[in-house]
Amino acid sequence: MSITLTDQDKRTLRTAAYGAVSLLAAADAAGSPHKAATEGSIALSSATGLVGHVLAGKTKDINLNGKSVAALADHVLPALTAAMSLLKKQAPAEADNFRSTVIIAIEAAARTHQGQPSPTIADMARKITAALDAA
């Protein structure tokens, strides 16, 4: 079965995935947000399957602007849930692939610290996971 995603569907997936990494980097503002963003983005670029193809698309259609972490979260967390709902409906295996990809990316972003991530980073990771699982 061939899976066809609209441009809006692809934008939702990219916003959700890269937004999750941005949220984790923002939660690490006192630490190494650049390292967190880099590690998370590298993990996203390593995705395979349909998800990998969508995330590898070089577009400027992702809007991750916000004046605060709360504003970014208001945009990204619903996108994570929408991406999972979309993929569960059209391609359940790709939904699992997307969830795994995002989880690996946030784990990669969080591991830039020696030892355990800060409570702020751990809390943001929980919020991201909850948004993925809300679908």
Side-chain angles (χ1 to χ4, degrees):
M1 177 175 124
S2 178
I3 303 162
T4 304
L5 297 176
T6 66
D7 288 343
Q8 178 60 43
D9 294 341
K10 293 175 186 177
R11 183 176 17 258
T12 299
L13 295 178
R14 285 191 287 267
T15 297
Y18 285 100
V21 170
S22 295
L23 279 174
L24 217 58
D28 192 24
S32 300
H34 178 72
K35 284 184 181 181
T38 300
E39 292 295 324
S41 294
I42 289 169
L44 292 178
S45 70
S46 300
T48 59
L50 175 67
V51 169
H53 288 288
V54 171
L55 296 180
K58 304 294 182 205
T59 66
K60 296 182 190 248
D61 63 355
I62 304 171
N63 179 4
L64 297 176
N65 297 327
K67 294 188 181 219
S68 67
V69 176
L72 182 60
D74 288 347
H75 185 64
V76 172
L77 296 176
L80 286 161
T81 303
M84 287 298 294
S85 294
L86 167 79
L87 291 172
K88 281 182 177 181
K89 183 177 173 183
Q90 293 193 27
E94 285 300 320
D96 292 340
N97 184 20
F98 180 79
R99 185 184 187 286
S100 295
T101 298
V102 172
I103 295 297
I104 289 167
I106 63 173
E107 288 173 355
R111 78 176 180 95
T112 60
H113 296 277
Q114 298 292 339
Q116 293 186 354
S118 72
T120 307
I121 292 172
D123 183 53
M124 187 60 72
R126 279 190 294 277
K127 290 174 183 175
I128 292 166
T129 302
L132 288 168
D133 294 342

